[in-house]
Amino acid sequence: MGLQPTGLNTPAPSASLQPEETVAAVLARARTTARVLLVIPSQINVYGVKIKPAYPALGVMWVAAMLERAGHTCEIVDMDADGVDVDGVMRRLDEGRFEILGLTAVTPTYPRALDIARHVKAHTPQVPIILGGIHATVAPMECVREEAFDFVAVGEAEITAVELVDAIAAGATDFSGIKGLVYRGRSGAIVTTEPRPLVANLDDYPYPAIHLIKNLRNYAPPDAVMLPAPPIMVSRGCPGQCTYCQTKNIFGRRTRFRSPHNVIGEIRRLVYDYGVKEVHFLDDVLTANRKFLRGFCDLLKQEPYKLHLQVANGLRADMVNAETLSALKEVGLRNVGFGVESGNDQVLEIIKKGIDKDQVRKAVRIAKDVGLETWGFFIIGLPGDTEQSVRDTIDFAIELDPKYAKFPILKPYPGSEAYRQLDEKGLIDIRDYSAYGVYTPPVHHLEGLSRERILQLHTEAVRSFYLRPRKLIEHLRDLRSLGKVISFVRGSFFVLAQMWQGKAGPRSGRRRAQRPVKPILPDATRTTAAGGAPARGSVMPRS
């Protein structure tokens, strides 16, 4: 009899894994090897248009590294970066004689992952298909009901993937002993195994398999100074309780940091093997562990190369001080962002942000005093938002006056507390996950704010912040090269296009794809979830 499905849990690192559960023990097992194709679906639903993805998927690269270390053969296909469609995936599956297909999905890419799985299952039904990623973690029962998916990996999947591929390669028929799985048993009943405990020491994992990325220059973070600019994560987990975020559902609320020496080793590989001069951190709370940060910065200062550093998801305002930001600036940090979310105290309480406006003011002031460019994240359409609270947010953004500001419209992702809050009140209007992209119109309304009005307020926020004479002059003065001029023109075009759309309001009936908003300069845009931050993809950006 299958195990009974359990509810979504918030995992925690295990202080004492069983000896046979450690990374080293799992990798040392005798096994039959297999050929595994790992596919990252197109992110067009994330951005609203087909563009170069910002980053290769770290989660997929970590899984691939573990599989390779175990002796399995892996290949990664990033559909956008590699220019591959569904037919191309099926051709590669055949040509490479792959025996297992692995797919990853964030919420807006889930429909495309499902489409790939259905095509492959119809073409080669004997190939087992595994789905992982944040959407699989927060909605495993929904995913496993799709016959195209044979297995759904829940949570951190490095060890789960190795054990599952081992079992499939060995011809196993019972998978109930593999933790972190949801699947259909032989009787057709859904089986949910025990939760996968988190590995406390992240140094136990091999470095992500970046060598399986076909061309790093096929990725283009919008604010990169020097390409290629690959991602790196030095920690997992976030102590925050933000209701719109799902980091805690996959990584837990206790932060785990790699050792400074381990991180420097990965950076050296990027610099010497791939010619990298810029690295982007995808951590949720990079500055949560000041001991790590001091050790890392001290080691990086001793390296013979210089790097540009970016913190793609920003920092929490309550986790920075002058010492921290100065240390990061000294080793290459050029700008810093903060997840402000709202300028209204009541809304900040509703979303459980855990910071107040004075903390934000202090953090932004410190960053400016240190000499860093600043940017801020502000979310429009949060639970509790009203016409007045959104105007409070716009006013607060103008008061803080970061160089760049981002005003995404909330996407209430399944599994988040925000989704539950809105769903219980009947405020979610669109259930089609392909509409849940970061740069697409709202999928919900609020009491007192229609979807049309939320979109209009978003446009007003962008216009109010960027079309101030002082802000325009600030950015015009920054145009020191042809590249900057081109970026300015392109960014201005997107701002004007967004303003026009907001003025007209969303069309009824068929949903139109939108271009991503790039306020004034591409530097203002921050990637979020998507394949770039694989495990966190369906999380709203930032900490």
Side-chain angles (χ1 to χ4, degrees):
M1 180 179 353
L3 301 175
Q4 292 301 309
T6 58
L8 181 68
N9 73 308
T10 300
S14 175
S16 56
L17 289 173
Q18 296 299 314
E20 66 275 9
E21 291 183 314
T22 63
V23 172
V26 169
L27 292 176
R29 293 173 187 167
R31 56 179 43 89
T32 301
T33 59
R35 297 179 61 81
V36 184
L37 182 64
L38 301 173
V39 176
I40 303 162
S42 172
Q43 299 175 28
I44 190 171
N45 291 341
V46 175
Y47 300 107
V49 66
K50 190 170 184 178
I51 58 174
K52 282 186 176 183
Y55 305 107
L58 269 175
V60 174
M61 291 192 292
W62 249 310
V63 167
M66 279 287 287
L67 289 171
E68 283 195 327
R69 186 67 64 87
H72 299 293
T73 299
C74 278
E75 182 177 321
I76 294 175
V77 171
D78 186 324
M79 295 181 70
D80 286 341
D82 300 339
V84 175
D85 58 13
V86 176
D87 289 339
V89 169
M90 292 195 292
R91 281 195 301 272
R92 189 66 206 120
L93 194 67
D94 288 340
E95 292 167 358
R97 296 178 289 108
F98 291 101
E99 301 156 283
I100 299 169
L101 174 66
L103 292 164
T104 186
V106 297
T107 295
T109 65
Y110 173 72
R112 293 186 175 270
L114 178 57
D115 183 55
I116 297 165
R118 285 172 173 169
H119 277 80
V120 170
K121 189 60 70 176
H123 179 64
T124 52
Q126 75 279 8
V127 173
I129 300 177
I130 307 166
L131 178 71
I134 184 65
H135 191 81
T137 294
V138 300
M141 305 309 293
E142 171 191 39
C143 298
V144 80
R145 291 189 183 100
E146 295 290 346
E147 293 186 0
F149 298 124
D150 297 291
F151 301 95
V152 176
V154 177
E156 290 186 7
E158 286 90 347
I159 292 179
T160 302
V162 171
E163 292 186 339
L164 180 54
V165 170
D166 287 351
I168 293 172
T173 57
D174 181 5
F175 304 91
S176 60
I178 301 174
K179 296 179 179 179
L181 276 186
V182 179
Y183 65 98
R184 288 183 308 279
R186 282 175 291 179
S187 66
I190 294 176
V191 179
T192 297
T193 68
E194 293 182 37
R196 169 68 59 185
L198 300 178
V199 172
N201 185 2
L202 297 179
D203 286 7
D204 290 348
Y205 289 129
Y207 294 145
I210 198 166
H211 61 279
L212 294 180
I213 299 302
K214 295 175 178 61
N215 188 348
L216 279 178
R217 292 189 177 276
N218 285 341
Y219 300 87
D223 55 349
V225 177
M226 298 180 179
L227 294 177
I232 188 171
M233 283 184 73
V234 305
S235 67
R236 297 183 184 183
C238 177
Q241 300 184 64
C242 306
T243 62
Y244 52 82
C245 180
Q246 293 168 309
T247 290
K248 55 185 171 293
N249 297 138
I250 193 165
F251 288 147
R253 291 192 58 203
R254 256 184 63 191
T255 53
R256 294 162 288 154
F257 276 76
R258 297 160 59 187
S259 70
H261 283 90
N262 182 267
V263 175
I264 292 294
E266 182 179 0
I267 290 176
R268 284 176 182 161
R269 182 180 65 152
L270 294 173
V271 170
Y272 293 122
D273 293 352
Y274 298 93
V276 167
K277 296 181 180 179
E278 180 166 335
V279 171
H280 289 201
F281 293 98
L282 297 189
D283 300 77
D284 289 284
V285 282
L286 178 65
T287 55
N289 186 327
R290 293 180 184 176
K291 180 179 178 181
F292 163 83
L293 206 61
R294 285 193 298 269
F296 169 72
C297 291
D298 287 344
L299 288 176
L300 190 54
K301 281 189 289 187
Q302 298 172 30
E303 294 294 297
Y305 47 80
K306 298 295 181 182
L307 289 175
H308 285 267
L309 302 180
Q310 302 276 6
V311 183
N313 288 331
L315 301 174
R316 282 187 62 99
D318 57 347
M319 291 185 179
V320 298
N321 57 25
E323 178 189 4
T324 296
L325 294 181
S326 295
L328 285 169
K329 183 174 184 291
E330 191 175 352
V331 294
L333 190 67
R334 295 292 177 266
N335 58 48
V336 63
F338 298 100
V340 183
E341 324 314 356
S342 177
N344 181 275
D345 291 328
Q346 184 176 357
V347 173
L348 286 173
E349 288 186 15
I350 291 172
I351 65 173
K352 300 180 182 179
K353 181 62 185 177
I355 60 173
D356 58 45
K357 292 195 292 184
D358 283 340
Q359 288 174 303
V360 175
R361 291 185 179 102
K362 181 179 178 181
V364 172
R365 184 175 66 251
I366 291 172
K368 291 181 178 181
D369 290 345
V370 166
L372 294 169
E373 288 184 350
T374 55
W375 39 272
F377 287 120
F378 307 86
I379 303 177
I380 307 297
L382 288 162
D385 253 341
T386 62
E387 190 97 19
Q388 182 57 52
S389 71
V390 174
R391 298 199 179 283
D392 291 342
T393 297
I394 297 171
D395 291 343
F396 193 45
I398 292 172
E399 175 197 334
L400 294 172
D401 197 31
K403 185 165 185 178
Y404 309 108
K406 184 82 172 292
F407 299 93
I409 295 171
L410 173 74
K411 288 300 184 297
Y413 291 112
S416 68
E417 188 174 346
Y419 181 93
R420 179 183 57 78
Q421 291 171 334
L422 296 173
D423 192 36
E424 287 177 351
K425 295 181 179 180
L427 299 176
I428 296 178
D429 304 307
I430 298 175
R431 307 282 175 168
D432 177 2
Y433 293 146
S434 64
Y436 278 59
V438 180
Y439 299 108
T440 52
V443 299
H444 71 292
H445 68 282
L446 297 170
E447 296 161 335
L449 286 180
S450 66
R451 286 165 50 211
E452 290 81 2
R453 187 58 187 146
I454 292 172
L455 184 59
Q456 290 167 357
L457 288 169
H458 163 261
T459 303
E460 289 180 24
V462 175
R463 182 177 57 205
S464 298
F465 185 85
Y466 281 105
L467 296 190
R468 294 173 289 152
R470 175 183 169 189
K471 184 59 64 177
L472 287 170
I473 291 170
E474 177 185 0
H475 285 289
L476 286 169
R477 285 175 175 169
D478 198 37
L479 302 180
R480 302 188 186 97
S481 67
L482 179 61
K484 285 286 189 180
V485 172
I486 293 172
S487 295
F488 178 84
V489 172
R490 185 173 63 234
S492 298
F493 170 79
F494 284 130
V495 170
L496 293 173
Q498 187 70 7
M499 289 178 184
W500 171 253
Q501 186 172 43
K503 183 178 179 180
R507 294 184 177 183
S508 59
R510 187 163 58 96
R511 186 180 55 85
R512 288 196 307 162
Q514 280 185 271
R515 291 181 179 273
V517 183
K518 294 189 177 182
I520 303 301
L521 292 174
D523 306 65
T525 15
R526 292 283 163 176
T527 54
T528 62
R536 307 171 41 240
S538 61
V539 187
M540 280 301 292
R542 309 153 324 277
S543 42

